[in-house]
Amino acid sequence: GSLVSPWRLLLCLFETMMSRIAITRTFSTRLSAAGNRLTYAARSFGTINESPSATDAWKASCYMEIDFTISDEAYAIEAIQKFAAFDIGCLITTDEDGKISGVISERDMITKVALKGKKAKDVILKDISTKDLVTATPNDSVDVCMNKMIQNDIRHLPILNDENSVVGLLSIKDCAKAVLAEKEEAINTLSDFALGKGGTFVVD
C-alpha cells in the first residue's frame, strides 16, 4: 500500500489526543454533577432519619386539646365520666398543690374497681392511681418513648419539663402515628428522587 506521510500521521495522533481530552473533561463534569446530587440526597436523607420528638407527637395528640388532669381527691366515677366525654383512656392525677401525683387509666378502673366489686362513686382516685411513674422529657425521641412504654407494659407517658411540671401526655397511639408520618415522609422523598424531583442518582 501507499506510505502515510509523517505530517498526516502527526495530525492523526493530535486529533486522537484532543478527542480523548474532550471525553475526559465531559466525564469529569458529569461525575462532579453526580457527586453534587449524591451530596444533596445524603443531606436530605439525613433530615428524614431524624426521629420526631415527644413534643412533635404531643402536638398532634388528642390530649393537646383537653384538660387531661384530675384531682387525686376526686372519685373514680368522675374520671370515668371524663374518659367518656373526651374518648380517652388515661388521666394525670394532681395533688392539692397542682403537682403530678400519679396516673389513672381505664385498666385501673377494671382491675382495681370493677373486678373487686367496688362502686366507682365510692372509690377515691389516689387510692387506685399508679404512683410509680415512667415519664418522658419534651426532647425525648418518639423511639425512646415507645421503648419506655413497651418495656414497662404501659400505654401512656406523662411528659415532664426540667422543673418536673407536666407539659403533656402521650399515648402509644400518638407515637405510632408519629412514626407512620415519618415513614410516609421518607417514602415521598424517595418517590421524588425516583421521579427526578429534587435530585437524582443517575449520571446524565
Side-chain angles (χ1 to χ4, degrees), residues 69-73 91-104 125-126 129-133 158 160 164 166:
T69 64
I70 189 169
S71 170
D72 58 14
E73 294 290 345
L91 292 167
I92 289 178
T93 61
T94 55
D95 60 22
E96 58 184 8
D97 296 322
K99 296 184 179 299
I100 183 172
S101 60
V103 295
I104 189 76
L125 292 181
K126 68 179 180 181
S129 62
T130 300
K131 300 175 180 62
D132 185 15
L133 298 178
L160 307 183
N164 284 327
V166 179

Side-chain angles (χ1 to χ4, degrees), residues 1-29:
S2 61
L3 295 175
V4 179
S5 69
W7 293 109
R8 187 169 182 79
L9 182 60
L10 286 174
L11 180 60
C12 289
L13 290 173
F14 178 75
E15 289 176 347
T16 301
M17 182 177 66
M18 293 303 294
S19 177
R20 288 179 177 175
I21 291 173
I23 291 172
T24 301
R25 286 178 176 174
T26 300
F27 179 77
S28 297
T29 300

Side-chain angles (χ1 to χ4, degrees), residues 26-99:
T26 300
F27 179 77
S28 297
T29 300
R30 291 180 177 179
L31 189 62
S32 177
N36 290 336
R37 288 168 182 161
L38 287 171
T39 300
Y40 172 80
R43 289 174 179 171
S44 297
F45 286 121
T47 300
I48 291 173
N49 289 332
E50 292 177 3
S51 176
S53 68
T55 300
D56 296 327
W58 157 244
K59 288 179 180 178
S61 171
C62 64
Y63 287 100
M64 178 75 176
E65 307 295 332
I66 65 171
D67 176 13
F68 52 85
T69 64
I70 189 169
S71 170
D72 58 14
E73 294 290 345
Y75 287 95
I77 187 64
E78 297 175 64
I80 293 173
Q81 291 169 342
K82 207 163 185 177
F83 289 158
F86 295 115
D87 192 23
I88 56 176
C90 184
L91 292 167
I92 289 178
T93 61
T94 55
D95 60 22
E96 58 184 8
D97 296 322
K99 296 184 179 299

